[in-house]
DNA sequence: TAGATTGTTAATCGATTAACAATC
DNA sequence: TAGATTGTTAATCGATTAACAATC
């Protein structure tokens, strides 16, 4: 039982939206309201919820709290999953702040850098370690996901270290494609490509 | 003639990769090499290049310089397209640096913030304006794309200002979905959803 | 020519949505 | 019951890839 990628993404967004409604007196929502709030198709919403075994009420819609629990049981791991941020420059710090502020099942457990001025420092309670200690710390803190937020020119040389550190998922913010084995779940966000795509469709709309 | 979204994205990546080879003595590359370097299917590469009217040589592959020119003629606008960054905190500054370092047809022409300590300051030669002046500056500097890099809680209130400023494309880094009319080309990057997706597939691989 | 490539159509795959049955 | 909803299958859409013809 593995959900489609897009369904998992939407479940994450449903939950975040529904979280705000959790203490309402009548916490029910219709698929078309959920759809409207996220610019989706109501059928798509119902299909996603069907896939996780939803229990909507034909009159009142979906119970918000039940749905939140159901989504949590579906996409969250039983224990908190730990994340490491590699490179604690402006981007790394922005991500750290962003993620720390969120109530979620993921936690930044360590940050890594090569800069001696940063190693040994704490960033909002999170210790910065030298990149050479990555394998050790990943094991010790049980980190499964790494976020690469270093300048693009160092991407290739860091990829190998990340691979050997034992992380299972890598989110790469550099514009260099990482050639990693298939058992690593790799997501790449390339802002240059994103902007060039936008530029094209803005011009050719 | 409008290219598929994914093709445009890959063209952007082909070009960036090929850029490095431009001064080689024999600047030819095979579709399978290009594919291997970006973890794509060679057929996909050839199909993309076919769509833009490629002229590969059956023996030597594709001429790198010709290809670079062809991609530029296809996806770049004739004039530089201007970008505005809304919110010049850590994320905004990271993006500004990142984009400024790239040789490309897009240029950050202005940054915006509400913080008086930031307004009037220059960030790497780029002036920071108060958000209230957005419409004026967008018109004056001919900005077509806006990048939202403000805290998520301000997203909704800023969306309207952005819309009225006349930008045609918006890249939203907050986790709040923006409900914008369809003529605005909207891309949303939601790091929480991205991480939750990764966590799910790392756990259920 | 033989072999390796490009170019292009047809088949396949994954995701979305239309259609409609079931239910309150 | 009538009307509005959920639940689910079938059709459609967009993108990828298999198959193979054309070419150097």
């Amino acid at each position: 039982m593995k959900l489609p990628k897009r369904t998992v993404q939407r479940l994450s967004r449903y939950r975040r939206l529904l979280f705000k409604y959790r203490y309402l007196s009548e916490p029910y929502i219709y698929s078309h309201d959920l759809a409207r709030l996220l610019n989706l198709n109501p059928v798509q919403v119902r299909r996603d919820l069907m896939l996780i075994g939803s229990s909507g009420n034909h009159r009142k819609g979906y119970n918000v709290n039940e749905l939140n629990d159901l989504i949590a049981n579906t996409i969250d791991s039983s224990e908190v999953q730990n994340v490491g941020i590699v490179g604690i420059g402006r981007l790394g710090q922005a991500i750290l702040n962003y993620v720390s502020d969120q109530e979620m099942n993921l936690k930044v457990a360590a940050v890594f850098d090569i800069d001696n001025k940063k190693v040994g420092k704490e960033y909002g309670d999170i210790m910065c370690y030298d990149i050479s200690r990555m394998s050790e710390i990943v094991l010790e803190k049980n980190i499964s996901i790494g976020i690469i937020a270093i300048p693009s020119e160092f991407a290739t040389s860091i990829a190998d270290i990340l691979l050997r550190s034992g992380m299972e998922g890598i989110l790469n913010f550099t514009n260099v494609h990482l050639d990693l084995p298939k058992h690593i779940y790799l997501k790449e966000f390339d802002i240059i490509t994103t902007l060039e795509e936008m530029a094209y469709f803005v011009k050719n709309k």
Side-chain angles (χ1 to χ4, degrees), chain A residues 133-143 165-166:
Chain A
R133 291 183 63 197
M134 205 184 302
S135 294
E136 174 200 339
I137 304 294
V138 164
L139 192 68
E140 182 186 312
K141 307 233 179 220
N142 191 28
I143 292 172
S165 75

Side-chain angles (χ1 to χ4, degrees), chain A residues 142-199:
Chain A
N142 191 28
I143 292 172
S144 54
I145 292 172
I147 301 176
I148 305 189
I150 56 174
S152 294
E153 58 261 43
F154 303 130
T156 320
S157 52
I158 225 76
D160 198 49
I161 300 174
L162 271 149
L163 179 58
R164 280 180 300 169
S165 75
M167 292 188 190
E168 299 169 85
I170 291 177
L171 174 53
N172 177 20
F173 278 100
T174 75
N175 64 42
V176 177
H177 167 70
L178 299 181
D179 187 22
L180 297 171
K182 278 193 295 294
H183 67 269
I184 306 285
Y185 192 83
L186 175 66
K187 290 278 287 190
E188 307 200 300
F189 180 75
D190 181 340
I191 194 169
I192 303 299
T193 285
T194 302
L195 288 173
E196 292 193 328
E197 176 205 330
M198 292 180 69

Side-chain angles (χ1 to χ4, degrees), chain A residues 38-57:
Chain A
L38 296 171
N39 270 174
L40 302 170
N41 187 310
V43 179
Q44 197 171 46
V45 173
R46 291 203 295 278
R47 202 179 202 291
D48 287 337
L49 301 184
M50 182 197 87
L51 289 174
I52 63 169
S54 73
S55 47
N57 183 301

